[in-house]
Amino acid sequence: MSTIRFAALQETLNRKPVSITEKERRSTLFGQHVFNKHAMQQYLTRTAYDSVINAIEKGTRIDRKIADQVAVSMKDWAISKGATHYTHWFQPLTGATAEKHDAFFESINGGLAMEKFDGEQLVQQEPDASSFPNGGIRNTFEARGYTAWDPTSPAFIYETTLCIPTIFVSYTGEALDNKTPLLRALQAIDTHATAVCKYFDKNASKVNATLGWEQEYFLIDDALANSRPDLVLTGRTLLGHIPAKGQQLDDHYFGTIPARAMSFMQDLEQECMLLGIPVKTRHNEVAPNQFELAPIFEEANLAVDHNSLLMDVMEKVSKRHHFKVLFHEKPFAEINGSGKHNNWSLSTPDGANLLSPGKTPMKNLQFLTFFINTIKAVYENEELLRASIASASNDHRLGANEAPPAIISVFIGSQLSNVLNELENVTKGKLSPEEKTDLKLNIIGKIPEILLDNTDRNRTSAFAFTGNKFEFRAVGSSANSAIPMTVLNTIVAKQLKEFKIEVDALIDDKKLKKDEAIFNVLREYIKDSKNIRFEGDGYGSNWEKEAKKRGLSNNKTTPEALQIKIEKSTIALFEEMKVMNKVELEARYEIDIEEYTKRLQIESRVLGDIARNHIVPTAIIYQNTLLENTKNLKEIFGEEFKNIAKEQIELIMTISNHITEINALTLKMIEERRNAKGLKGLKSAQAYSKKVKPYFAEIRLHCDKLETMVDDNLWPLTKYRELLFTR
Ligand code: ADP
Ligand code: MG
């Protein structure tokens, strides 16, 4: 056994769970490190408080004098909690979070020192951000980027630093981050959903999108994980033979959480409580050492921030427990991958869920309106939704018979399907009084009961209605949810805008009553969007054929999937909804393509290195042992050795074959990599996808075969069974 592998195993076997004491009740801890309403009430003047609340609830501007006041109070609050530094906390296009810490401390003349932080530092900063990906935006405009305070997401303290959530934009106003477009999309959905809500409640004033994510992840002992160059450098294993026991016994799912993982979770949850992340559920997932954590849902912008923050906190807490947390969508072949389901809905300020039916027929019609418009929006933009979750790592998961396929479809369950089928028969134009009564009593009147008993679930669907929300299941575990949430809210906003125009036209021109007009438009939408609805098995190959007939896209790789992001229709849509302009969209596309290319390039290099510098030499050492053994047998037994050493001789030949294949395939892969590297943009990404990547599986096959032959004591890489079953 390699010394590294041996040492890692020894270290792991000696691990004990870190003991976690919970001194305070979680409800007492909740939000203690957040500058939330409660803290603001204590620290801000009434005017300042009202101004911040108005900014959060109505999107009004905070004037500079007030910002100064808020800054001073925020600083006092932070220092009282032990903070020494502050940072603008933002989400650049790397998908991760970024921060640059400055001390509050400033030395003033005369040697007198004091802490300083005013509106200027709160509201705007200029991080030296030239090395964040920007897709050429800053070069084009020769402008630097700056970060600006987002008062809708409260400041928080993490590890003695006051973190202020901010957007990150260029001087010419183009978004350089994931938060800015999300905020604009949330503005769009607010505008257009509120306008539609007014049909049902003339006092409707605001609609919030809500998001409840479910984060899946693997926890691997860090000594074991660090012993694998592929895990360290790419976040996934590029090779490794399947262990004798995988997940086939289904004994991990919802089973008892192992002690060390439990201690990590308790520690993590305490941190989350302090940071105001309302984590609620934890459990084992399907694969060994795979887990899931989910919070109570929140307003979408806050929920996205909380997910990004959680991922950072998980990495930090996991170190204390000697774990490495893997967010990669597919860290292990043949073992379930990880996703991040995004549960989405719309709600009014009083907390009413627009995707829940109500007590009156009007409320039920409101439910149907938002329900059907969402389906229509997904139908019209399925390819764009697919693009919003595209990444090199998620490509391994989509369509791998454990996660939704790369085809986007909507599952709503048989009972709601029946409702929509009935609604398809609504009479064109004016409705008779009898028909109205029938609709009221027998069709939409039945919806609340139907949903109470909503046991219909289909785990193979990419986008499923689950009783009072839609669940976008194709999102990857490492993704920043801001990206799919920006697309989803934008397309639904656009759809609702269209809907309002059509309904108003029927009311004004055809003199239909409001509910008649709504039924008429919904009827057409149900017919139009039928092709996106699918209740069957999304994993089967039949569905692929069927989806093709229906004209749905099936973009299996990221380079294919991304194309729609820069189509004319996409640019028009995003510009109309004021979410992103052409420059911003093209910049993001460029960054996505580059990211994909780089990931594959790194994986290919790491695989080549492991195969030729770790696996092949080990195989040769073992082969030499066999040769030595055969030679000795020949010395003792003469020609008789051929019968005695039959196995050894066969093994020597087989090993030789694998070594030859590995070397030849690696050389070919390197050749293809050189070609791919010489190309630009999409061409390069396509070459990596179609010419380089196919070698990964081939090379892996030979390496994994060798793993089953070579003496376990010599094998250099920590094995799957050790990574997955050591606890
Ligand atoms: P499951 O889908 O596993 O049966 P739940 O129905 O409780 O479990 O919800 C799963 C997730 O959906 C949770 O993360 C929760 O926060 C989220 N969720 C529930 N209601 C909403 C909503 N109205 N908007 C957004 N997310 C929601
Ligand atoms: Mg779920």
Side-chain angles (χ1 to χ4, degrees):
M1 193 181 302
S2 70
T3 44
I4 296 177
R5 180 174 159 221
F6 182 73
L9 276 169
Q10 284 302 311
E11 209 171 322
T12 309
L13 291 172
N14 290 328
R15 301 262 198 238
K16 298 269 176 304
V18 177
S19 81
I20 299 296
T21 43
E22 299 206 26
K23 290 192 213 85
E24 279 181 88
R25 281 175 57 174
R26 296 207 168 168
S27 54
T28 326
L29 293 181
F30 190 75
Q32 271 190 21
H33 288 178
V34 184
F35 198 57
N36 53 19
K37 279 190 183 169
H38 180 69
M40 284 197 285
Q41 270 166 348
Q42 283 183 315
Y43 278 81
L44 293 182
T45 61
R46 187 70 214 209
T47 335
Y49 177 80
D50 288 345
S51 177
V52 177
I53 297 298
N54 269 332
I56 297 173
E57 286 171 4
K58 306 208 178 80
T60 51
R61 283 185 71 90
I62 295 176
D63 90 50
R64 192 43 207 279
K65 275 210 195 93
I66 301 272
D68 278 337
Q69 276 190 36
V70 175
V72 171
S73 313
M74 208 187 257
K75 178 200 71 185
D76 290 345
W77 167 80
I79 290 174
S80 81
K81 299 267 178 193
T84 55
H85 287 66
Y86 66 90
T87 181
H88 275 197
W89 183 82
F90 58 103
Q91 298 166 36
L93 296 173
T94 51
T97 60
E99 48 198 81
K100 171 182 160 255
H101 298 195
D102 283 303
F104 287 125
F105 173 85
E106 280 202 13
S107 166
I108 312 285
N109 45 10
L112 195 69
M114 62 181 290
E115 273 95 12
K116 189 169 166 283
F117 181 66
D118 60 23
E120 201 177 329
Q121 282 115 330
L122 168 64
V123 172
Q124 199 164 309
Q125 293 269 300
E126 271 178 58
D128 174 18
S130 49
S131 46
F132 290 115
N134 57 57
I137 285 183
R138 265 195 312 264
N139 305 345
T140 320
F141 291 82
E142 290 181 307
R144 280 178 304 173
Y146 69 92
T147 54
W149 179 33
D150 165 22
T152 62
S153 181
F156 57 89
I157 299 169
Y158 189 60
E159 292 182 333
T160 70
T161 297
L162 170 68
C163 301
I164 300 151
T166 55
I167 57 166
F168 181 36
V169 289
S170 75
Y171 262 97
T172 39
E174 273 85 14
L176 296 172
D177 66 350
N178 286 315
K179 186 193 260 275
T180 307
L182 175 66
L183 287 173
R184 294 180 190 149
L186 294 173
Q187 177 67 53
I189 192 89
D190 177 13
T191 304
H192 298 291
T194 304
V196 169
C197 271
K198 283 189 200 288
Y199 286 135
F200 309 98
D201 171 7
K202 52 184 187 319
N203 298 321
S205 63
K206 185 170 173 66
V207 170
N208 283 317
T210 54
L211 164 64
W213 39 263
E214 303 166 57
Q215 180 72 54
E216 292 183 335
Y217 61 97
F218 279 84
L219 272 185
I220 305 296
D221 183 275
D222 62 1
L224 297 177
N226 289 335
S227 72
R228 299 260 327 200
D230 47 359
L231 270 181
V232 172
L233 295 173
T234 71
R236 73 176 179 111
T237 56
L238 297 170
L239 32 83
H241 197 269
I242 305 313
K245 176 180 188 248
Q247 60 191 45
Q248 66 273 60
L249 294 178
D250 281 331
D251 51 355
H252 190 66
Y253 193 50
F254 277 38
T256 318
I257 299 174
R260 275 183 68 202
M262 185 61 146
S263 141
F264 159 80
M265 288 178 191
Q266 284 171 338
D267 198 354
L268 174 67
E269 285 167 15
Q270 283 200 47
E271 296 276 6
C272 287
M273 284 296 112
L274 290 170
L275 291 166
I277 307 173
V279 293
K280 192 159 163 66
T281 59
R282 59 176 177 217
H283 61 79
N284 290 355
E285 260 303 324
V286 178
N289 283 349
Q290 189 190 28
F291 306 94
E292 182 186 292
L293 177 154
I296 297 169
F297 69 92
E298 298 177 288
E299 184 279 320
N301 174 41
L302 186 58
V304 166
D305 279 359
H306 277 164
N307 182 247
S308 298
L309 179 57
L310 173 94
M311 290 168 80
D312 287 350
V313 175
M314 282 174 85
E315 299 219 352
K316 287 183 175 150
V317 174
S318 65
K319 291 215 167 72
R320 295 207 279 268
H321 295 259
H322 299 291
F323 280 127
K324 185 174 171 70
V325 40
L326 305 181
F327 290 119
H328 194 286
E329 281 78 358
K330 192 76 182 170
F332 305 98
E334 308 274 332
I335 301 275
N336 260 35
S338 303
K340 175 154 49 203
H341 294 177
N342 277 202
N343 295 274
W344 171 91
S345 189
L346 296 171
S347 83
T348 59
D350 58 8
N353 183 346
L354 298 177
L355 288 173
S356 260
K359 292 207 175 75
T360 62
M362 217 43 188
K363 285 285 165 203
N364 292 337
L365 187 55
Q366 174 177 290
F367 159 76
L368 274 177
T369 297
F370 285 98
F371 178 65
I372 294 167
N373 271 287
T374 304
I375 296 172
K376 175 94 179 336
V378 173
Y379 171 64
E380 302 284 352
N381 300 282
E382 45 90 12
E383 202 168 357
L384 201 50
L385 266 186
R386 160 66 181 104
S388 78
I389 48 150
S391 68
S393 49
N394 211 18
D395 280 357
H396 293 284
R397 180 174 159 263
L398 299 180
N401 278 9
E402 60 181 77
I407 307 161
I408 302 290
S409 64
V410 179
F411 170 85
I412 60 172
S414 57
Q415 291 183 301
L416 279 168
S417 297
N418 291 341
V419 171
L420 297 199
N421 292 343
E422 301 228 27
L423 285 174
E424 251 186 72
N425 301 320
V426 169
T427 310
K428 256 199 171 132
K430 287 194 186 305
L431 311 182
S432 67
E434 294 77 34
E435 188 173 14
K436 276 194 176 182
T437 313
D438 182 50
L439 277 170
K440 230 189 230 178
L441 294 181
N442 298 327
I443 302 177
I444 65 170
K446 292 264 161 66
I447 292 175
E449 286 164 47
I450 287 177
L451 289 183
L452 274 184
D453 171 43
N454 185 55
T455 43
D456 238 347
R457 290 279 167 124
N458 181 334
R459 292 180 58 88
T460 67
S461 173
F463 199 90
F465 185 71
T466 50
N468 56 3
K469 62 193 180 287
F470 281 98
E471 184 170 0
F472 191 12
R473 299 210 182 99
V475 186
S477 48
S478 71
N480 183 325
S481 293
I483 301 165
M485 281 297 115
T486 297
V487 170
L488 181 57
N489 287 294
T490 303
I491 62 176
V492 177
K494 162 74 176 163
Q495 180 53 52
L496 290 168
K497 180 183 173 187
E498 296 293 312
F499 173 75
K500 174 122 187 0
I501 293 170
E502 290 184 55
V503 171
D504 285 351
L506 290 182
I507 295 172
D508 296 341
D509 307 343
K510 298 267 183 316
K511 305 294 169 218
L512 293 190
K513 291 243 169 57
K514 186 173 65 188
D515 51 351
E516 282 172 340
I518 292 174
F519 275 121
N520 269 278
V521 176
L522 291 182
R523 181 197 58 233
E524 294 309 307
Y525 284 2
I526 293 170
K527 287 190 198 159
D528 293 347
S529 61
K530 246 183 173 166
N531 274 347
I532 198 77
R533 278 163 46 203
F534 179 62
E535 304 285 307
D537 178 8
Y539 293 171
S541 55
N542 284 345
W543 170 228
E544 273 196 67
K545 283 185 215 127
E546 167 70 19
K548 193 167 179 192
K549 264 195 233 146
R550 294 187 184 191
L552 301 177
S553 71
N554 185 7
N555 296 323
K556 291 190 175 172
T557 69
T558 294
E560 290 166 84
L562 291 177
Q563 292 318 300
I564 186 79
K565 281 197 171 184
I566 46 165
E567 288 286 320
K568 272 210 181 91
S569 56
T570 306
I571 295 169
L573 164 71
F574 278 91
E575 290 195 335
E576 183 186 343
M577 291 293 106
K578 299 194 175 61
V579 173
M580 278 188 272
N581 61 27
K582 186 165 184 269
V583 174
E584 291 170 308
L585 285 161
E586 286 176 350
R588 264 147 231 266
Y589 167 79
E590 213 175 282
I591 290 168
D592 289 347
I593 288 280
E594 200 178 299
E595 159 100 16
Y596 178 85
T597 308
K598 281 187 189 154
R599 292 235 177 246
L600 264 74
Q601 186 183 62
I602 293 169
E603 289 192 347
S604 163
R605 285 182 180 154
V606 173
L607 179 61
D609 170 59
I610 297 179
R612 302 229 301 168
N613 302 333
H614 299 230
I615 306 296
V616 167
T618 307
I620 292 175
I621 292 172
Y622 183 55
Q623 199 184 34
N624 274 334
T625 312
L626 295 171
L627 284 166
E628 194 65 29
N629 172 262
T630 328
K631 236 171 33 195
N632 291 346
L633 289 173
K634 188 176 177 188
E635 231 167 68
I636 296 174
F637 298 101
E639 278 313 301
E640 189 47 19
F641 93 100
K642 278 189 187 144
N643 291 325
I644 302 173
K646 221 173 177 172
E647 296 266 332
Q648 288 91 319
I649 293 167
E650 242 168 58
L651 210 47
I652 290 166
M653 312 267 281
T654 316
I655 290 176
S656 277
N657 275 339
H658 288 306
I659 291 174
T660 312
E661 286 293 328
I662 290 173
N663 281 332
L665 289 165
T666 310
L667 287 177
K668 281 192 206 152
M669 177 176 75
I670 292 171
E671 174 78 25
E672 289 295 352
R673 201 165 71 215
R674 280 214 192 95
N675 292 340
K677 204 169 163 236
L679 300 168
K680 286 218 160 43
L682 175 64
K683 288 252 153 43
S684 178
Q686 281 169 332
Y688 273 104
S689 161
K690 298 270 184 253
K691 300 274 164 107
V692 179
K693 197 178 167 203
Y695 284 106
F696 293 8
E698 288 194 51
I699 295 171
R700 177 183 190 137
L701 186 77
H702 293 286
C703 293
D704 289 357
K705 280 264 155 52
L706 283 174
E707 188 183 325
T708 64
M709 295 168 198
V710 171
D711 180 358
D712 181 62
N713 279 321
L714 294 176
W715 197 251
L717 292 176
T718 302
K719 295 186 171 179
Y720 266 30
R721 68 156 193 276
E722 292 155 351
L723 291 166
L724 291 166
F725 292 97
T726 318
R727 281 178 193 147

